Amino acid sequence: MDQSKLQHMEGEDRGKIVLFALSTCMWCRKTKQLLDSLGVSYDWVDVDLVDKADQPGVTEEVKKWNPASTFPTVVINDDKCIVGYNPEQLQAELDVKV
């Protein structure tokens, strides 16, 4: 996936965190709010707002981690994937507390 499609939020470095979201998804917004409240650095993309020409590449990246392509999908260190809004699992993976 073209990394230029990602937006970045500054924060504490807890590894590479990428959030694939939809702009209209309540659970995606809650995941962003959680990551913000945890104060961690992360990248994100609202998949539905990506240019049509770039959609196949972004969609393929999501499917690589989450074949059902549901949102939110959080990929941590190109190793672990958390599907859906799961604050407990996300905090545990990032080893941070709210």
Side-chain angles (χ1 to χ4, degrees), residues 20-98:
F20 295 95
L22 295 176
S23 65
T24 56
C25 168
M26 175 182 73
W27 300 112
C28 299
R29 282 194 299 274
K30 290 181 75 76
T31 301
K32 285 180 190 174
Q33 290 169 350
L34 175 63
L35 289 168
D36 290 345
S37 72
L38 295 174
V40 297
S41 172
Y42 66 97
D43 296 316
W44 88 93
V45 60
D46 287 322
V47 175
D48 57 321
L49 299 181
V50 173
D51 292 339
K52 283 191 181 253
D54 297 319
Q55 283 278 340
V58 175
T59 301
E60 198 59 36
E61 183 69 14
V62 175
K63 284 184 178 179
K64 182 173 106 181
W65 294 101
N66 174 9
S69 295
T70 54
F71 299 95
T73 295
V74 179
V75 178
I76 301 171
N77 292 326
D78 291 327
D79 181 47
K80 298 190 177 191
C81 177
I82 299 172
V83 176
Y85 178 67
N86 191 330
E88 293 82 14
Q89 185 179 10
L90 190 55
Q91 290 174 50
E93 292 293 342
L94 298 176
D95 193 29
V96 293
K97 305 281 185 226
V98 175

